[in-house]
Each structure stands twice: as C-alpha cells, then as structure tokens.
Amino acid sequence: MTSAAGFYRFSSTHRIRGDGERRFVFAYKPPGPVLRGSVEQLMLDVCKGPVVPDAVVLVGLAEDMQDTLVSEVGKEAARVAQERLYGRIPLLYAQYSLTTGKVAAQLLDPTFRRRSSALLAAVTDGLAVWMASGLAAVFRPEDVLLLAPAGYAYQKPSGSRSQYFLKPDLALTSSAIVGFVALALFHRLFAGRLERTRELQSVFLDTMAIAPIAYALRDLLALCDFQQPFLIESFHSYGGLEAVRRPLPKTSICIISASTSMSLHEKWIVLKEVSPEEVITLVTIKPVAKFRDGALLVIEAPASLTSEGPPQLSIRIKGENFLPEQEPAKKVLLSDVDHRSDEDVSWFCTFAGAGVFDCFRRPSRSLSKPRALFVDGHALLGRAEFHQWLEAELVQRAKAATKVIVFQDDPPSRALAQKVKAFCEASLGLVGLRVVSAALLGRVRLKPDDGVAVCAAVVGKGSQLLEISRALRDMHSGPRLYLVGYQVAETLGELKTLPANLKHSKRVPYDFTAFGKAAIGTQAFESFKAELSEYYGAAREAKSLPAQMAMRGRLLGGVARVQHLGLLPHGAQADSHMKLRAGFAYWPSKFTPQACHPEVLATVGVLLQRAREHAGLPEGRRLGSGSFRHVVLHPENFTRFNDGVLQSALLRNAYPSELDYRGDHADSDFMKAVVLRALARASEVNRPGSRGGPLG
C-alpha cells in the first residue's frame, strides 16, 4: 500500500533474538526530494490501528543526495507527529547502498537503546526478507492473477491454455511502487556488481506496460554515475521474439513481465544465446519446473479454480498489451437446411390464426405473469389434431392399473384430465377412475401399486409437475404417465431436463409424452416488456397514440387476445396489420397469407434458440463461438427473409448483441440501408406484391 505522502509502505515479519517474531513496517522513498509534510503524514499513517507495528523503518538510498529523511524527522512538525511513536514504537532509518547492495541502519528513538542491536540486525541482515515482502505486497495474487470465467480458458501468446493469467502491470499503480520494484530489480541484477553496467546498451521488455520499471531502473543507474544512454524496447512477447537481433554478450538486459511456465524466459536465453543473468522475469507462479532463480517473485497458485475439467472455450490473449484478442465478429446466416426443425415448428403453421397461440398474454388466474408465447389450453384441447394424438398416446401408454388422474391446478388441465378419464372408461375399459387436483393430492388415499396419470395442458419449466412428482414420491411406486399438451421453455436444455426428471424412477422409468414443445429464448419477452415500459407506461397519454397502437398497449400483458396486434401496425394511419406471405422457408408452401404474428414470432424464436444451442450444428452455423468473440446475425438474413413480419420477428427474438454491427462498418452500412428502405415503405398499405410493411 502507498501513503498519501508518496512513500511505498509494506509489512515484513522478522524474528528477533529472544523476542520472537515481530512485524516491521518499511517505508521506501524513491530518489528525489522529500515532499513537504510527507514524513509527519507517514507517522500518522503507521500509527492508525487497530494493530500497530512493532517497528517502523524509513528506507532511503545512500547515493541519493536529496535524501533528507533523517533531517525531516528532526523538524518541528515531524517531531510532533513522532510523539505518537516515541517510547512505543521503535523508529529506524535504513540506508541502502546501490554500489555495495548492503544496508546501513541507525536507531532514531533512543528509548529503545537496549534493543538496538537486535532491531538493527533484523533490518540489515534481513534485507532479502523485507525486499521479498515488499515485492509480495506489490504483486498480490488478487491484483495480478486473472481467473478465466467458468467454461473458459486463457489461450496465451505462447499457445498454451490455462485457467489463470498473470498481468503484473495491474499492480503498478503509483510511482513509489514502480520505484520499489526497480530497486528490487537493481538489487538482483547490479548490486555489488556495477561493472556489469559498463557495456549495457539495450533493455528489452516483453510489453511496454512495464516500461516505467525500466525508466526507474535507469534513474537508479544514474545515481551510480552510469552516464551511457541505453535503448528501452518492447519485442511484443512471442509475436516479436524472432525479430530481435541477437545482442552481443553483456550488452543487454531482458525484463519479462510474467510467465507461468517460464517458457519465454527460456526461449530468450536459447534463441538469443545470452547468459541467464541477462534475463529476468518479474513474476511467475508455483510450481516452477525450471529457471526458478530467474524470477524476481514466485507467487502461489490459486487455491481453487472456477470449474473442474477441461475448459471448452478460449479467450485468446494478444501479446504486448496482454488483453483479449479482438477476433472479427462471427456472422451467422440462418439456413433452412441446418436450422430447420419441423418437429418444433410444424404446429405453428398448422394452427396459424386459430387462436391456439398468442403473444405476451397471461393466463386469467390471479397473480399470473405474461408469457412471450402464450398457449391457450382450451383452444388446444378443441383441435382435432390434439384429439387424435391424445387417443393414440393413451392406447399405447395407459396402464390397466390406472386408478387416479391428477391434473395441474388450472382449468385447461382439469378439462384435459376429464377427457383422459372419458376415453379410458369408454375405449380402454378402465373403471373406478378418480380425477384429483394437484392441490388435494395429499388427501387422496392411494395404494402404492395403483397407476397414476398426471395431466397438464400447458407448462413452462414444469415446476408444478415436479411438485406433483415430489408429492407422489413417498406414497406411490406404481406406473405413472405424464401427459403434457404443450411445453414452452426458454432453452433447449429445459425441454430435455423436464422429461428426464419426471421419468426418473429407481426401478422402471415413468412415461412422459407431450403433444408439442418449443424453446424460444428470452429476448421476445424482454422486447415486449421494454415496449410496454417505454410507450404504454402509466405516465404516457394513450389518446395521443393511433387507435391500433393504443389498443395494442391495452392488450399486451393482459388476459385478452392480442393476435394480429402482436407486431406493430403500419401504414399512413398506423392501422394496417402485416400479413405473412406464402413461401416462408420453414413452413409448408401451401399457406394462406394472413396476420399470424404469434406463430411467426414463435417460429423465429425456435430457429434462433436452435442456432444458439443445438450441439449438432456446424461451427459456422452456430449462433455461438468456441472462442471469446462477438457473434452476430449476418445482415443478409434481413434480405433473405424480406417479409416485414419475418424481419420484425427477427428483431424481436434476437439479442441486442446479435444485432450490434458497430464493429464492422460494411455491415453497419448494410443494415442502415435495410432500415432506410423499410422507413421509405412505412406508409405502404399491405397489398399483393408488397413486402408486408416496415420492420415492426
């Protein structure tokens, strides 16, 4: 830590003969005059509790003609501050000699005269100890050790991968700290061996981020009457290693900021054919297999990493600045070959305009929340396709032992349970069936071997079904069948985990079947939520909006049908509804053009989520990346899907980052042209041959 006075202060523990271990506070003043008031401020700083040090040591340089620490301590203002230490905390002055590399110390508080020899010996003989303590206080692991996020690994300039990365320049936060690191470096390289500096011509660095240390080192050499100028140059880590000419012996020093394996340290020695004494690494990490003595400081490896096992994704580190490399954005073009999923989107086309699906609507029960894709359970149960599916599933899966039909606590699920009971009694010959609400399940007398059917018309994550499963766990061990009408989840993972969790049994897995399922992501919900807050909030005047938009504001997030107002209206009076034209690549060709906004929004949401998550997609088609890089939707998607309804659905379902083209001027200009063309058509009425209006 540094004090306000510009000293670099740190603690060091020393063993004093007959007195045990004692904590010394050292305050190093870099070369130059002592700032006015700095010494008295230092005295006040070191006396602040809760634990005061056992001794305070002021450190200066013997060759520094402007070092007036002792005289400053004797001044009136400093004496007043020193009264806080007098008789309580020994005050010492240590003078380090750059020429000899040794320390001369003196006691400034005569009240500790009887202990002076032990105190002075701790400072002079413990030079290596307090120098190492000062370095450890500078390069603390929490400051210089970067841990990769879970699932990621740093790919270093050397090509190796690791879950942590050293960046010592983050600790160089003041000139006093830089000065102390330069002193430690000087002590290692030149102290007592100044003849090594006579032919010095170049100081090579792996990054200019540590150049302040090299300049501070040059200042220390100047105090030793070293007048020969030398070059300070960065070779950009591994990227510029080959470009540096091999220096003549004893004419160079190489300072490497950090290395976890000391491989760059070794490469410099081998490729440049220099002595090991001519290269030094500031910081490395345990365990060090080789060249341990070549590191100024060795720190401990982190006790625990973010995750176990091999990381899947890489954060590429670029040499010189050692920051994540800015790879070009990955652009993904949606394809009807790679991203097509007829199983997940077929019902959207089949039920288009039938009222089964809606957008940003909530169930009629109290305290319910809006759903980005709302499935009307009653409308779904009324479809002939659903009846055919239900009867076929019951014929194949219903067990003769079935005695109880449990339904999720909502009216559509109750209706589904009644349908299941009626069919099982009429067509399968099952008798004595009871229909029970999930809320009353604990009161039902159930034989352990009785069969149970669990019905849910519409589910999301399936929390209520999991609660039913937990309630049955201790009372039921017989056959069980879960019947789900439609599951709408955020991720593909949720679609997979719910059946797996419900099927789990210690003996024979339970049965699970669903009429339809879809994973649509989270952005559609966020876009509707943001629109409501921005344009239809309580402070907004609805009368100032066009009639259709005002109606849309009243419907979104409510219990009434939204349907053709799922996307913004267009036209000169904002009263026309965009209609999807025939020819949508992901729907059958025989489709009557209509305003089926919920179904299109859901289809595009499924396609984008599949592009983000599906493991079987080629790397170039995945809306994700194995490395740390920006991933966007290719601008060509907006010309490939040139229908206004589809373009609007893309904008609603894509994450903002997937539409951020600021990193590529060509893509940004392309999207600007798309938006301008859409605005130019903003007043067009939807007619045959029209593209369905603007981006909505």
Side-chain angles (χ1 to χ4, degrees), residues 33 78 82 84 87 148 181 183 187 245 254 261 265 354 358 412 436 469 489 536 539 549 560 578 616 618 636 675:
Q82 192 180 349
R84 295 174 177 267
V181 176
L183 176 66
H187 180 71
R245 291 184 178 181
C254 177
S261 62
H265 189 105
D358 211 342
V436 179
S469 174
Y536 311 114
M549 289 191 65
M578 293 187 290
E636 288 289 348
V675 173

Side-chain angles (χ1 to χ4, degrees), residues 591-609:
F591 169 74
T592 303
Q594 56 181 294
C596 46
H597 298 174
E599 294 81 4
V600 175
L601 280 166
T603 300
V604 174
V606 166
L607 296 177
L608 290 178
Q609 198 60 29

Side-chain angles (χ1 to χ4, degrees), residues 176-494:
I177 287 177
V178 171
F180 182 81
V181 176
L183 176 66
L185 198 61
F186 185 97
H187 180 71
R188 171 67 70 88
L189 295 173
F190 304 124
R193 297 173 292 172
L194 288 179
E195 67 278 0
R196 294 183 56 192
T197 66
R198 292 173 185 170
E199 300 179 43
L200 184 62
Q201 298 177 5
S202 303
V203 173
F204 295 104
L205 312 171
D206 67 332
T207 169
M208 285 302 287
I210 61 171
I213 296 176
Y215 286 108
L217 183 64
R218 187 163 64 182
D219 292 341
L220 295 179
L221 288 171
L223 294 177
C224 301
D225 296 326
F226 177 78
Q227 303 297 331
Q228 177 180 319
F230 56 81
L231 178 69
I232 298 175
E233 180 181 356
S234 169
F235 56 89
H236 316 300
S237 188
Y238 286 86
L241 192 61
E242 299 286 349
V244 178
R245 291 184 178 181
R246 182 166 63 87
L248 294 174
K250 301 181 180 180
T251 63
S252 70
I253 293 294
C254 177
I255 305 174
I256 298 170
S257 59
S259 176
T260 56
S261 62
M262 299 295 283
S263 58
L264 185 57
H265 189 105
E266 181 182 19
K267 272 186 173 293
W268 183 269
I269 293 174
V270 173
L271 292 180
K272 306 308 173 188
E273 300 180 10
V274 298
S275 166
E277 296 181 346
E278 296 177 34
V279 55
I280 190 165
T281 298
L282 294 182
V283 185
T284 188
I285 195 166
K286 293 181 180 179
V288 185
K290 49 190 174 181
F291 293 104
R292 180 188 178 95
D293 293 338
L296 195 60
L297 178 69
V298 181
I299 65 175
E300 296 286 344
S304 61
L305 301 179
T306 53
S307 60
E308 297 296 332
Q312 298 174 332
L313 307 174
S314 295
I315 303 176
R316 294 183 181 177
I317 300 295
K318 187 179 180 181
E320 178 56 44
N321 55 21
F322 297 113
L323 295 174
E325 185 176 353
Q326 297 296 315
E327 298 183 63
K330 177 183 176 182
K331 293 177 281 190
V332 179
L333 187 64
L334 297 177
S335 163
D336 60 347
V337 175
D338 295 308
H339 302 109
R340 192 180 191 93
S341 179
D342 292 336
E343 178 185 1
D344 294 337
V345 305
S346 60
W347 294 123
F348 298 138
C349 179
T350 302
F351 298 153
V356 174
F357 300 106
D358 211 342
C359 49
F360 209 69
R361 178 178 156 193
R362 66 179 182 85
S364 56
R365 61 181 181 272
S366 61
L367 302 178
S368 60
K369 297 180 180 180
R371 305 286 189 265
L373 174 62
F374 177 85
V375 182
D376 189 325
H378 289 296
L380 178 65
L381 267 56
R383 298 292 303 187
E385 296 88 348
F386 182 82
H387 279 282
Q388 295 171 6
W389 170 84
L390 180 62
E391 293 175 0
E393 291 293 320
L394 289 173
V395 167
Q396 295 293 328
R397 298 177 184 270
K399 302 298 188 292
T402 302
K403 296 297 181 182
V404 175
I405 302 173
V406 182
F407 64 88
Q408 185 176 268
D409 286 319
D410 57 74
S413 297
R414 179 193 293 270
L416 175 58
Q418 295 293 347
K419 285 181 178 291
V420 171
K421 178 184 178 184
F423 180 81
C424 289
E425 291 178 340
S427 301
L428 302 181
L430 301 182
V431 295
L433 297 179
R434 290 178 292 167
V435 176
V436 179
S437 167
L440 303 176
L441 187 57
R443 306 177 189 176
V444 176
R445 292 184 179 180
L446 182 67
K447 294 180 180 179
D449 295 334
D450 284 348
V452 174
V454 182
C455 299
V458 183
V459 300
K461 296 181 185 296
S463 301
Q464 292 191 52
L465 289 182
L466 292 172
E467 289 180 7
I468 294 172
S469 174
R470 282 193 292 270
L472 290 171
R473 184 181 303 161
D474 297 331
M475 67 173 69
H476 180 248
S477 58
R480 197 181 306 171
L481 169 63
Y482 293 93
L483 286 162
V484 174
Y486 221 99
Q487 182 184 5
V488 180
E490 295 177 353
T491 66
L492 292 176
E494 291 175 354

Side-chain angles (χ1 to χ4, degrees), residues 97-145:
S97 172
L98 297 172
T99 305
T100 63
K102 296 181 179 180
V103 174
Q106 66 182 96
L107 181 66
L108 301 181
D109 188 343
T111 59
F112 293 93
R113 192 178 298 112
R114 277 187 284 180
R115 297 174 53 199
S116 64
S117 59
L119 292 170
L120 296 176
V123 175
T124 56
D125 299 341
L127 171 61
V129 175
W130 60 260
M131 193 79 77
S133 297
L135 287 172
V138 172
F139 300 116
R140 299 184 305 166
E142 55 266 35
D143 294 332
V144 302
L145 190 63

